[in-house]
Amino acid sequence: MVAMHNTEPTVDDDGAVEAGIAVTLGWCAYRIWRRRTATAPPRMHDSTSEGSRHKHVELLNELARLIGEHTHSVELFQRWVESAGTDPRQPHADDLDVSSQVRRMRAANKEFDRCAESRSTEICDAADRDPQLFRDISVRFSDHREKTTTFDSALSRVPVGGTPSDLQQLTFESLVGVLESKSRLERELADARKVIEEQASRRRDAERDARIDSLTHIPNRRAYEENVRGTHSLFEHQGITYSLVVL
């Protein structure tokens, strides 16, 4: 509250008069601002882009993890086939027979397909919201799933009791296809992650520059108003009475 007095100002009261005018003007400015904010909902910080960025990063990380786990199984299978086909007498090539290796690899393919199916809708939604970022990823991911299905079909044709040579002959082409599609998809994921990081950096720079006067490099009116709104919201939420003085 601002106290008002009816005493006539004297020469010695000049400083007090100036202070009283400043306080009164500040109080009036606050009342005008309060009426404006009372009739319109307070502007909130736009977090949509930031929220989308976090979701996109989480999706990219999950896809990279999914691809990495499946690729690990594929590469182990590839090394076993190559070593068994070169020299079947090697101990690490005889630890499992061909049928066991096929069952293990097909189980890994099935788990990958299950996880990929659970993410396919999310990838399509992301491609619809941000086609520039996720369109190529969606295409590469579908291609990788098709290559994995082709590879699994080749595994299903390996006869029971077949030899490592049979396994290598039946699966070589489709196995190479899986590894090649994996490499293309990983490049797309890495490029998308780089784009998201660059977008976040530009957004932070733009938000910082929007609050700084380009000539004086000090906080501008926008920064002042956001600070006032934030402080008011905090005090109002906590039920604290305060005064605003503008000099």
Side-chain angles (χ1 to χ4, degrees), residues 25-75:
L25 290 175
W27 175 254
C28 292
Y30 166 73
R31 295 299 298 172
I32 293 173
W33 170 81
R34 190 70 182 89
R35 283 197 296 271
R36 289 179 178 176
T37 57
T39 57
R43 289 182 294 176
M44 305 297 292
H45 175 67
D46 182 12
S47 59
T48 303
S49 296
E50 186 68 14
S52 297
R53 186 181 73 85
H54 285 300
K55 290 181 180 179
H56 288 168
V57 171
E58 290 177 359
L59 178 57
L60 293 175
N61 290 339
E62 178 60 23
L63 292 178
R65 183 197 64 79
L66 177 60
I67 297 301
E69 290 180 354
H70 182 248
T71 300
H72 178 68
S73 299
V74 173
E75 290 176 343

Side-chain angles (χ1 to χ4, degrees), residues 140-210:
R140 296 298 186 192
F141 189 72
S142 297
D143 177 66
H144 187 64
R145 291 188 65 185
E146 291 177 2
K147 292 293 192 297
T148 302
T149 300
T150 301
F151 174 48
D152 196 67
S153 297
L155 289 172
S156 68
R157 294 194 296 270
V158 176
V160 177
T163 64
S165 179
D166 296 331
L167 185 60
Q168 189 172 27
Q169 182 179 2
L170 289 169
T171 63
F172 175 78
E173 185 176 352
S174 58
L175 178 59
V176 171
V178 169
L179 294 175
E180 289 178 348
S181 65
K182 179 269 301 185
S183 298
R184 290 191 293 267
L185 179 56
E186 286 180 336
R187 285 195 297 270
E188 292 292 344
L189 294 176
D191 290 344
R193 190 177 289 108
K194 183 178 179 180
V195 169
I196 290 175
E197 292 172 355
E198 292 175 350
Q199 290 175 345
S201 178
R202 288 195 297 268
R203 179 182 176 84
R204 288 192 296 268
D205 291 344
E207 289 180 346
R208 183 193 64 235
D209 294 343

Side-chain angles (χ1 to χ4, degrees), residues 110-167:
K110 183 178 180 179
E111 177 63 16
F112 168 76
D113 188 67
R114 184 188 67 81
C115 296
E117 181 64 27
S118 66
R119 291 291 177 178
S120 60
T121 301
E122 190 174 355
I123 295 172
C124 291
D125 291 343
D128 290 339
R129 291 193 303 269
D130 194 342
Q132 184 177 3
L133 186 64
F134 276 93
R135 182 181 58 245
D136 291 342
I137 290 177
S138 178
V139 172
R140 296 298 186 192
F141 189 72
S142 297
D143 177 66
H144 187 64
R145 291 188 65 185
E146 291 177 2
K147 292 293 192 297
T148 302
T149 300
T150 301
F151 174 48
D152 196 67
S153 297
L155 289 172
S156 68
R157 294 194 296 270
V158 176
V160 177
T163 64
S165 179
D166 296 331
L167 185 60

Side-chain angles (χ1 to χ4, degrees), residues 77 96-110 152 155 160-161 167:
F77 177 82
L96 290 172
D97 59 19
V98 171
S99 297
S100 299
Q101 286 287 351
V102 169
R103 284 195 299 270
R104 175 180 289 183
M105 189 65 253
R106 295 200 69 188
N109 289 342
K110 183 178 180 179
D152 196 67
L155 289 172
V160 177
L167 185 60

